[in-house]
Amino acid sequence: MNDCIFCNIIKGEIPSAKVYEDDEIFAFLDINPVNPGHTLVIPKEHYDDFSLTPNELLSKMMPVIDKISKAIMNGLGAQGFNLELNNGRVAGQIVPHAHFHIVPRFPDDGLHLWPGKPYAEGEMQKTAEKIKNNLE
Ligand code: 5GP
Ligand code: ZN
């Protein structure tokens, strides 16, 4: 066993409720779900977070996320889902192995996301410039 929980789950050394596996990607149910069917989709190769995961691998994960989210909707009667990614501790990432959350959504499930707060005058354009100037 190494010290990454998710690597140990992939190897089967920690049991999980697996829903999907291919050569490079693994998906299983979150042990502490926001709603039943909350699924984690992870690369089999260990990368600490999304930002460190190669683009080529990320681009393979998106169709898998699409496939699983449709199975969640059809299989569990979810009417929508949130695709969430916590990147870094400040963003709430607890397990340092890159993962996407697929959270099934049901009417009146009580989950409220993304509380918004307005920009101060002129800050929106300045913020957009700072981002645009750092695209690599
Ligand atoms: P994070 O906050 O890092 O984005 O989310 C990590 C998620 O992993 C949490 O939602 C947590 O419930 C889930 N998790 C942590 N340990 C285990 C485990 O041993 N098994 C499973 N199935 N999920 C886990
Ligand atoms: Zn790992």
Side-chain angles (χ1 to χ4, degrees), residues 33-77:
V34 174
N35 280 327
H38 178 169
T39 298
L40 302 173
V41 185
I42 66 179
K44 283 187 171 173
E45 189 153 343
H46 181 100
Y47 296 98
D48 280 358
D49 63 27
F50 172 86
S51 299
L52 293 168
T53 308
N55 279 192
E56 195 193 4
L57 182 50
L58 292 175
S59 69
K60 289 179 183 162
M61 294 181 76
M62 273 300 149
V64 170
I65 288 167
D66 178 45
K67 186 195 287 278
I68 296 169
S69 63
K70 285 174 175 147
I72 288 172
M73 306 259 288
N74 292 331
L76 303 181

